[in-house]
Amino acid sequence: MGKYLVLCFLIIWCSHITAQTIKVEGVLRSETNVAIPNATVIIYKNEKIVAFGYSNEIGAYQIQFQFKNSESDTLKLVANGLGFEQQEKTIGLGKDTEFTVDFILKEKLEDLNEVVLEAWEKISVKTDTIIYKVSAFQDGSEQVLEDLLKNIPGIEIASDGNIKVNGKNIDKLLIEADDLFDDKYKLLTKNLDANVINEVEVLNNFEDNPVLKKFQDSEKVALNLKLKAEKKNVWFGNVDVGLGVENHFNSSASVGLLKKKVKVLNLTNGNTIGTTATSQVKSSETINISSANIDKKIEKRNNEIVNVDNVSDTNFSNNEDVFNTSFLNSLSFVTSLSDHTKLRSHTYFTFDEIEKQNLNLTEYFISPESITFSEQNNIKIKDISFATELELKHFSKNETYYTYDFAFENNPTQTRNHVLFNTERISQVQDDEKYNLFNHLKVTKKISDQILWLNYVYFGINKTKQTLSVLPNVLSDVFNNEDNAQINQKSETPLKYYGLISELKGKHNKSEYGVEFSATVDIDDVESAFRFDNAPIIDSLSNNTSYRNTKFEATLKYNYTISRLLKLSSSLRFSQNYLELNTAKQQFFFVNPRIRLHTKKTKIGNFGVSYNYKSDLPNSRYLTEDYILKNYRIFTKGTAEIQQINNHNFGFYYTFNNYKKQFLINSMVMHSFSDRGYGLNSQVTEQSNFSAYTVIDGGRFTNYNLSITKYLSPLSSTLKIITNHNWTNNPIIINTIPSPTINYSANYRLQGTTYFKLPINFKFGFQYNYAKGEFDSQITTNHYYESNVDATFRFSDVWLCKFENTYYSINHNTYWFSNFNVNYTPENSRWSYRLSANNLLNVKAFNNVYVSEFQRNETRINTLPLYVLLNVKYRF
């Protein structure tokens, strides 16, 4: 019995040796020496809350707590009082256990909005701003910002990297309230170290135009990133070097300085693990270029005709099938030239070498006999991109806001495709040169408290040159020539466009009105030349199409606030179009109405219904006179018939946002139909496919989607349910058989994230996709399943392991991918280490069977085999 008493005494004695009682006390006063009662003092260790307390009626506070410390430990004290600015102080722990720390707080000059703090200390709500404390949503395995954002309820990262907040695309991604990347924000999310972020703010009712913000409410949403205190006003960054077997690597570096008047950020990445550089600089926003829009930048890019890369994208979520060598460097800065003038610049360089291999068996279900052929593709792509952008913003004293934006892009690409077509070997060589030049000038002028004047002038040039050579000539039977003759084709699609948009906005009582005038010119040409070897150009396979559209528009806008909760928005657009197609001229006059009835913030959510009627005209790719070769077996041709396409669009949406309880609903139904459209009339044989655009009957499209996000407090978890449904009905003609193609697709997904205060946390998901197609009385179906379970184990403050498991079932073909990584981060060290192993089961290929309305494709695609990487990261 005495032995047990001695043992208990030793345990208690040891616990008192390793854990000491720390006592911190002091007084909080204002600059006028007035005591500040009911203020909070929070003590942090490495951004984690250790203890907290409140000041009494005379401003005094006292905090006493147990703490395991070493002589090198430091604690951060943060004092907050209502109406006062936050103040921070640090104390160093040595032999002392009692400290006196006084605070003198400065008064805040601006008015404070109501702040609601959640009991679980993860979220605060400040009117239109929702603030997420990221430490509450981290499991420790996050490497870059995108990993962190995926953990936050209500924020969704699409497969292409675009960000949505409760179903709505974000307008900007800011860092410390400044925009460094504009629509190229994927460079930031995929490369910025997640460790530097302290808070993520969701900014509802966002508007970066200060004149417009004071004048009207906005429906835009943005994200703002708040850095940790020690990363502000100093140079910070990291170098991450990762090397592995089979010449695999994934290395990155970042360096930044974020001060109030100047912000600089340089991001670099090179890898061979499936993350291409080009995908990170693709625009994060799609703009409808068929009509002017004063709120967005109008940047048009012409369609590329030639494309010998005919390997279809897969459903895989983690780029398991991408073989690449990629590099990017992005330099962004923003600086305040004065109190009213800001200059932003962004320059990037990307390089990708991509290899694709697949075996494709294709069968067309066409009467009276089906057509079958096989293709084995071996594709190599070299894609280089260089771009620079310069933006100047100035807010003058006379309430006028100017923005000028200039951008230049250069994107040369080389594509080599060696095809085994049935038993015949074919070589395809494609070289592209693409240039883009964009100019934007916007001026917003406050005329009075009730009237604004907005002006937008833009000018752009797009030049795309493509050369294609094919050997041998698999079309020799079609053209009655020798099969050893090489096919050569050169094509250019120059595009020049410019325009002016001017709008007067006014408001009176419950009404808002606007009158907008615009004049735009699009000059869109297609030039191509087709020949065999060095023989003369074949006129019937060459084009010289000149297409010009001069458009004048006037739009009347009227919005009326029916009640505190209900608002009506409407517009009526008159459009006069002058078209020139080569020597032919035509005129079109459109009247396009739009109306929307929607609620404002209500206790049960927001509702809205809308209708708009829109008339469109075809672009140049529908109007080429003769055939153009797209790849070794496909020709496309336009039509000289220009007809307007009239579309009816109906919509209904419902959203519910309770950020306080983290309960979010987003639902939308859209239905559209047109009276006619441009569809393909195709003649398909085993050797070739000749497709010509023609005016056919219109189609129908219906989409329904629903997402529900809920934080389950008893389980410390977030659960999200997503479903999306599409119905389409479009006519098509294949081998003289006209028939509608009727499609239905459904997607169901359940996903969740746990935030246990335990050493283990999970991310899980299940997805089912179903597709059904009908053509010429034939019905086909497709089934796709995906499930994932990721487990993160934190064994101690320095050791963390993560297992990622993903299961795919594609039309009864099953695949399992497993990844593992272990992270070691020594305490109080700038160094960290990560060992990762991907594709542990060494899956080397997969078969994807896709059955559409009129064809069946069975494709075998290679995947990245098992590889191991060791990463060493240094943060400064």
Side-chain angles (χ1 to χ4, degrees), residues 100-117:
T100 300
V101 183
D102 296 330
F103 292 90
I104 298 177
L105 303 185
K106 295 181 180 180
E107 290 189 19
K108 278 189 176 181
L109 298 179
E110 71 272 13
D111 295 332
L112 287 179
N113 295 314
E114 180 184 2
V115 177
V116 181
L117 292 178

Side-chain angles (χ1 to χ4, degrees), residues 10 46 141 148-149 200 260 302 341 379 432 452 478 486 513 515 519 633 727 780 827 858 875:
L10 288 174
N46 294 333
S141 65
L148 182 62
L149 294 177
V200 174
K260 184 176 181 180
N302 216 332
T341 306
I379 301 174
D432 296 350
L452 284 188
V478 177
Q486 178 173 292
Y513 47 86
V515 180
R633 66 182 308 275
W727 294 264
T780 57
E827 193 171 0
E858 181 175 351
R875 294 185 173 98

Side-chain angles (χ1 to χ4, degrees), residues 686-743:
E686 182 179 334
Q687 294 293 115
S688 63
N689 182 341
F690 283 79
S691 297
Y693 285 103
T694 184
V695 178
I696 56 179
D697 292 336
R700 298 190 302 272
F701 170 76
T702 304
N703 169 256
Y704 168 70
N705 62 66
L706 169 69
S707 68
I708 301 174
T709 303
K710 181 70 175 76
Y711 178 77
L712 306 175
S713 184
L715 301 177
S716 295
S717 304
T718 295
L719 193 67
K720 187 169 186 178
I721 301 172
I722 307 168
T723 184
N724 187 67
H725 302 259
N726 291 291
W727 294 264
T728 61
N729 187 324
N730 293 301
I732 194 172
I733 305 173
I734 297 181
N735 288 5
T736 69
I737 301 174
S739 176
T741 58
I742 303 172
N743 288 284

Side-chain angles (χ1 to χ4, degrees), residues 424-438:
E424 189 168 9
R425 296 187 180 277
I426 302 166
S427 175
Q428 300 183 91
V429 177
Q430 175 186 340
D431 290 311
D432 296 350
E433 295 180 11
K434 290 166 281 188
Y435 303 90
N436 289 297
L437 182 69
F438 306 122

Side-chain angles (χ1 to χ4, degrees), residues 5-230:
L5 290 174
V6 171
L7 180 60
C8 291
F9 173 79
L10 288 174
I11 293 174
I12 296 171
W13 182 75
C14 290
S15 67
H16 279 280
I17 291 178
T18 57
Q20 299 183 14
T21 300
I22 306 297
K23 180 180 178 182
V24 183
E25 61 183 5
V27 177
L28 286 83
R29 294 186 178 275
S30 68
E31 291 182 307
T32 58
N33 202 31
V34 176
I36 304 176
N38 301 317
T40 60
V41 178
I42 304 175
I43 301 177
Y44 293 90
K45 174 66 170 69
N46 294 333
E47 301 302 324
K48 293 182 178 179
I49 296 177
V50 176
F52 64 91
Y54 301 91
S55 61
N56 58 21
E57 64 275 3
I58 62 172
Y61 75 94
Q62 186 180 93
I63 305 173
Q64 190 168 309
F65 58 96
Q66 297 287 324
F67 186 71
K68 297 179 181 179
N69 70 289
S70 64
E71 292 187 0
S72 61
D73 282 335
T74 60
L75 299 178
K76 181 173 71 173
L77 279 68
V78 180
N80 282 286
L82 184 61
F84 294 90
E85 294 183 4
Q86 175 179 295
Q87 187 178 9
E88 299 179 3
K89 291 188 177 183
T90 58
I91 57 175
L93 298 182
K95 296 180 180 179
D96 296 333
T97 58
E98 296 187 3
F99 301 88
T100 300
V101 183
D102 296 330
F103 292 90
I104 298 177
L105 303 185
K106 295 181 180 180
E107 290 189 19
K108 278 189 176 181
L109 298 179
E110 71 272 13
D111 295 332
L112 287 179
N113 295 314
E114 180 184 2
V115 177
V116 181
L117 292 178
E118 294 308 302
W120 37 305
E121 297 180 349
K122 295 184 179 183
I123 301 172
S124 60
V125 181
K126 184 179 178 182
T127 59
D128 290 327
T129 302
I130 296 87
I131 305 169
Y132 294 89
K133 191 77 172 179
V134 300
S135 58
F137 299 95
Q138 289 177 299
D139 60 22
S141 65
E142 299 83 5
Q143 296 298 318
V144 294
L145 174 61
E146 185 176 79
D147 301 331
L148 182 62
L149 294 177
K150 289 178 179 179
N151 294 345
I152 297 179
I155 297 179
E156 178 185 350
I157 309 294
S159 58
D160 59 2
N162 290 343
I163 301 176
K164 291 185 177 182
V165 175
N166 197 27
K168 183 183 294 185
N169 287 317
I170 66 169
D171 187 73
K172 299 283 185 183
L173 177 60
L174 311 177
I175 182 166
E176 290 294 333
D178 273 317
D179 176 22
L180 274 76
F181 292 88
D182 195 39
D183 60 351
K184 305 293 191 302
Y185 62 69
K186 283 181 282 189
L187 285 166
L188 186 66
T189 58
K190 293 182 178 294
N191 295 283
L192 183 67
D193 187 4
N195 190 59
V196 305
I197 305 300
N198 182 45
E199 294 176 344
V200 174
E201 296 179 339
V202 175
L203 309 178
N204 294 304
N205 193 25
F206 172 78
E207 179 57 67
D208 61 349
N209 184 329
V211 179
L212 201 57
K213 184 175 181 64
K214 296 178 182 179
F215 187 80
Q216 67 181 25
D217 292 335
S218 171
E219 296 185 5
K220 300 176 185 176
V221 62
L223 293 182
N224 182 42
L225 309 174
K226 304 284 287 186
L227 270 63
K228 294 179 178 178
E230 64 270 20

Side-chain angles (χ1 to χ4, degrees), residues 305-306 464-467 489-493 527-529 628:
I305 298 173
V306 177
T464 301
K465 298 181 180 180
Q466 296 184 290
T467 61
Q489 179 180 270
K490 293 183 178 181
S491 61
E492 293 187 34
T493 53
E527 302 171 6
S528 67
I628 300 178

